[in-house]
């Protein structure tokens, strides 16, 4: 069965960095569009960044220049490198797989606070 497991979240001070990982299994990872979404408390879930099977990427305007999405198809893992973190980045971050049927991970909490 399809599984998406996020890790790497935690508490970080403003200006700090975190790297999130999404470990995927149960499907041919290399052929699917993958993405990171986030949902702040009381807000709608929104796209943070996506990466196609080719490696091409897209980003929300709010994270451009600070976040970098990547994937390692040999390891069935997607990453999100987050730098220069701001309090407004605080949210639950979710791994997403596109396709005919969409899948979501369970989420990992990122809290940016001094």
């Amino acid at each position: 069965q399809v599984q998406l497991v996020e890790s790497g979240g935690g508490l970080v001070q403003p200006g700090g960095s975190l790297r999130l990982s999404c470990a995927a299994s149960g499907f041919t990872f290399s052929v699917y569009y993958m993405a990171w979404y986030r949902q702040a408390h009381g807000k709608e879930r929104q796209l943070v960044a996506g990466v196609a099977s080719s490696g091409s990427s897209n980003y929300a305007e709010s994270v451009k220049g600070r976040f970098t999405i990547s994937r390692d198809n040999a390891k069935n893992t997607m990453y999100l490198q987050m730098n220069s973190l701001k309090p407004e980045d605080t949210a639950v971050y979710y791994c997403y797989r596109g396709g005919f049927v969409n899948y979501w991970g369970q989420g990992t909490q990122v809290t940016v606070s001094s």
Side-chain angles (χ1 to χ4, degrees):
Q1 67 274 44
V2 171
Q3 289 193 79
L4 303 170
V5 181
E6 301 95 334
S7 62
L11 176 64
V12 64
Q13 293 186 338
S17 297
L18 285 173
R19 188 177 77 154
L20 306 183
S21 298
C22 172
S25 61
F27 63 98
T28 305
F29 178 80
S30 62
V31 308
Y32 283 91
Y33 173 79
M34 302 291 297
W36 289 98
Y37 283 72
R38 68 187 182 189
Q39 186 169 24
H41 189 70
K43 302 295 182 64
E44 293 185 355
R45 190 173 299 186
Q46 296 183 319
L47 177 71
V48 178
V51 57
S53 59
S54 66
S56 62
S57 59
N58 59 292
Y59 296 88
E61 189 67 29
S62 60
V63 307
K64 283 183 179 178
R66 300 188 298 121
F67 292 9
T68 303
I69 191 170
S70 62
R71 64 193 296 162
D72 186 338
N73 289 335
K75 300 176 72 172
N76 289 349
T77 303
M78 176 179 65
Y79 304 96
L80 185 68
Q81 179 66 48
M82 304 186 294
N83 299 324
S84 302
L85 283 161
K86 304 174 180 180
E88 49 263 48
D89 296 319
T90 295
V92 177
Y93 284 70
Y94 294 91
C95 183
Y96 164 89
R97 192 211 81 173
F100 184 77
V101 177
N102 299 333
Y103 288 91
W104 298 90
Q106 80 290 343
T108 185
Q109 177 71 46
V110 172
T111 302
V112 184
S113 177
S114 59

